[in-house]
Amino acid sequence: QVQLVESGGGSVQAGGSLRLSCAVSGNTMTRAWFRQAPGKEREGLARIHASTGGTVVATSVKNRFAISQDNAKNTVYLQMNSLKPEDTGLYYCAAASRVSISFNPAAFGYWGQGTQVTVSS
C-alpha cells in the first residue's frame, strides 16, 4: 500500500523560498510533484527516479525548482526558489509503480492530499 503525505506548504512573499516534503511509504519507481492553480489543469513540475535519482524538471520552473530525495528517510523534496504569485496553488506529491517518462497525471496511480502554497506580491 503506497501512501504519500505532503508538508511544508504555506504563505510566502514573492522572491521567497519554500521546501515541500513528501513522506513516501510503499514501493514506487517514480516520484513527482504537481501543482494545480484555481481554474487550471494539474501541471507536472518535477519527477525523480526512486533508484537512480535521475531527475526531470519542467521547463516552466527549471531554473527555480529542484526535486531531490532522501531514500533513508523515504522522503522526496521540492525546493522552490524565487517564488512568484503565479506559483500559487495546491501542490501534490505523486508516485508511480513504473518508470514514468512523462508528466501525464494518468501515469501516476498514487497521490497525496496536497499542500497549499500561496505567494503574495
Side-chain angles (χ1 to χ4, degrees):
Q1 182 75 13
V2 174
Q3 289 187 325
L4 308 171
V5 180
E6 303 101 334
S7 61
S11 297
V12 64
Q13 289 192 329
S17 298
L18 281 174
R19 189 177 79 159
L20 306 182
S21 300
C22 174
V24 181
S25 62
N27 291 323
T28 58
M29 290 292 287
T30 308
R31 292 88 172 262
W33 286 96
F34 288 76
R35 72 181 174 196
Q36 189 160 21
K40 293 189 176 181
E41 293 187 352
R42 195 165 294 191
E43 175 189 12
L45 302 173
R47 63 181 188 265
I48 187 166
H49 190 285
S51 296
T52 67
T55 64
V56 176
V57 180
T59 302
S60 60
V61 297
K62 195 174 185 77
N63 295 323
R64 301 186 296 121
F65 291 11
I67 188 171
S68 62
Q69 65 188 3
D70 183 337
N71 285 340
K73 295 181 178 180
N74 293 322
T75 302
V76 180
Y77 303 98
L78 183 69
Q79 178 67 44
M80 305 185 294
N81 300 323
S82 301
L83 283 162
K84 305 174 182 180
E86 51 263 44
D87 293 318
T88 293
L90 195 57
Y91 283 67
Y92 295 93
C93 179
S97 298
R98 302 178 180 179
V99 174
S100 177
I101 60 172
S102 77
F103 284 120
N104 183 354
F108 293 84
Y110 306 100
W111 293 84
Q113 79 286 356
T115 185
Q116 178 68 34
V117 172
T118 302
V119 184
S120 58
S121 58

